[in-house]
Every structure is written in C-alpha cells, then in structure tokens.
Amino acid sequence: MSAQQLLEGVWLVGSGTHPHALTDPHDCHSYLVWDGTGGFVVDCGTGLGSDTWLANIGSVCDPARVGGVLLTHYHADHAGGSAAATAAGLDVMAHPLAAKALLAGDQAATQLNRAKAAGIYPSDYTLAPANVEPLPPGRRLRSGGIEVDVVDAPGHCDGHLVFLWDGPEGRTLFSGDCVFAGGRISMQAIPDCRLDLYASTLIDLAFRDIDILLPGHQTLVLEGAAAQLKQAAASFSRLIPPPNVLT
Ligand SMILES: [Zn+2]
C-alpha cells in the first residue's frame, strides 16, 4: 500500500476502506498535509496498521519534519495509533479532554469498552496509553508553510476538534466524525454524543466557506462542500438531526 494524493498538498495515508491507502479495516481515513517545508497528519487509525501508516507518511515526506499528528477525537479508530506514532518520534496532539483520556489509556471514557461490546473492534484490541499533548481549540498551528486552525466541534463526542486549512485548491475541513459527505452526521447511543452541541457545531461550520470536506470515513468531497454543510445546518436549524452516517 502507499499514500494516495487527493489534492495539491494533501495525501490519504491511512484508511479502513480506500484501496490505495488501506492500513487496517478498522481504521478511519488519515490525511497528510505537506507543502515540502512542513505539515501535519490528521488522525492515526487504531494502531493495528501503524507500520503501513508510517511507511505511507514516509513515502511522501520525512516524518521528522512533520509538525505533529492532530487528533480529531479519542475514539479508537482515530486515536488508537497514538502510542505507535509517539514511539516513531511524532508529536501527537488532541483536545485537552481527549489528551487526558488517551494518556491514561482510558477505555471507558473513550467508549472503547462499549464499542468492543458492540463488536466493532477485535476482542483482544486494547488502547495503549500514549503521551498525547493537550491542544486547546482556537489555536492556529504552523509547520513550514502550512497553517491549520484548530476548531472546537463537540457533538459526536466530547473533546472533538476539526481542522481548517486554506490550501491551493480551497478551504479544506478535516472533519473527523463531525460531518460527512451529503451533510450527514454520526450519532451513536453513547453518553457523550450531544445533539444540542452537535447542532451548534454544524451551524457554525456552515458559515466558514468550506470548499473541500475530508471526513474520517466514507466519501471525500473534493469540491462544493459548502452546500452540503449548509444542508446539515439547515436541518439542525429546524431542530431535526441530519441523516445519520451510521445505519
Ligand atoms: Zn468517532
């Protein structure tokens, strides 16, 4: 497997489904933003495919020059590879709530125990504690010529961040499990999935003139994302949750 270039400056370096960047079937999409002088990785998968994931990053750039791995949230399919990432010398950053849970390898707070009981992960899968640095929302991060805005986006779970980057092909949203193609959302019957906060998050994102939507799963939206985000916000404005990506 290898990295799949999506846009100028953006590669898919991990995925549970994409045939050209497959790392492990349980993994989310993981993205590398890189301009030749610096960049960031968004999310790191479960850790079950970390060797391939690290090799994919290395096929595009020198991992030592990457500014860090930015985690959207603490669910294992996005953050379980944190320990492998730090062992490889990468800095890993997440919302302070997520960083605390990942540092402790807390399988209750991250809802891994529930997800395992539901059969979503292998029965012997565990969350390795990882030295994840707290990344408060509202910051702008810089690595080489790449600048990324860190945006608070609760709703799918507590401590969810999304990342905005103004790239050569337009304003790009790395949305994790916050919003998907078609303006769908990800609602689960877990204690920290909060519909009222989800509505505020989507209504805020709809006003940010986003062109490109790169979510944590399923279809990538390489143009015209604003209309799809507005669809989700309009639904929430009528107090009706948008369609759920999970069925
Ligand atoms: Zn999630």
Side-chain angles (χ1 to χ4, degrees):
M1 296 306 145
S2 60
Q4 171 75 30
Q5 184 158 15
L6 304 173
L7 298 163
E8 187 178 343
V10 183
W11 288 259
L12 191 66
V13 291
S15 175
T17 53
H18 196 289
H20 300 302
L22 192 67
T23 41
D24 182 88
H26 301 89
D27 286 350
C28 68
H29 295 327
S30 168
Y31 302 96
L32 168 66
V33 190
W34 174 256
D35 74 345
T37 64
F40 295 96
V41 176
V42 177
D43 285 334
C44 60
T46 54
L48 295 169
S50 284
D51 290 346
T52 309
W53 177 72
L54 289 163
N56 288 350
I57 296 168
S59 73
V60 178
C61 67
D62 175 1
R65 294 180 63 195
V66 169
V69 179
L70 313 178
L71 300 181
T72 57
H73 64 301
Y74 53 30
H75 289 160
D77 53 334
H78 295 255
S82 298
T86 57
L90 291 161
D91 292 332
V92 183
M93 294 164 260
H95 187 288
L97 278 175
K100 186 180 171 201
L102 293 166
L103 186 62
D106 190 335
Q107 301 196 166
T110 60
Q111 305 302 323
L112 178 57
N113 289 341
R114 278 173 199 262
K116 281 178 70 175
I120 295 169
Y121 298 100
S123 57
D124 60 351
Y125 178 75
T126 56
L127 186 64
N131 191 17
V132 176
E133 299 162 29
L135 175 59
R139 288 216 182 145
R140 172 169 282 194
L141 299 175
R142 183 172 194 153
S143 170
I146 302 282
E147 291 188 354
V148 172
D149 284 318
V150 180
V151 179
D152 203 15
H156 171 72
C157 67
D158 288 345
H160 197 301
L161 299 172
V162 295
F163 306 104
L164 274 174
W165 173 60
D166 284 318
E169 299 196 40
R171 178 166 291 179
T172 303
L173 174 69
F174 299 94
S175 66
D177 282 353
C178 173
V179 61
F180 297 84
R184 290 171 300 155
I185 63 169
S186 176
M187 282 181 291
Q188 286 180 292
I190 53 174
D192 64 338
C193 184
R194 306 185 197 280
L195 266 184
D196 54 340
L197 296 178
Y198 220 146
S200 305
T201 292
L202 263 295
I203 289 166
D204 169 66
L205 290 175
F207 286 98
R208 289 181 180 259
D209 297 325
I210 290 156
D211 303 302
I212 296 155
L213 170 62
L214 298 181
H217 303 274
Q218 302 191 1
T219 306
L220 317 177
V221 182
L222 301 182
E223 58 183 0
Q228 301 185 18
L229 290 163
K230 283 190 167 66
Q231 222 175 322
S235 184
F236 266 134
S237 296
R238 298 194 309 274
L239 309 183
I240 299 167
N244 195 352
V245 75
L246 301 168
T247 54

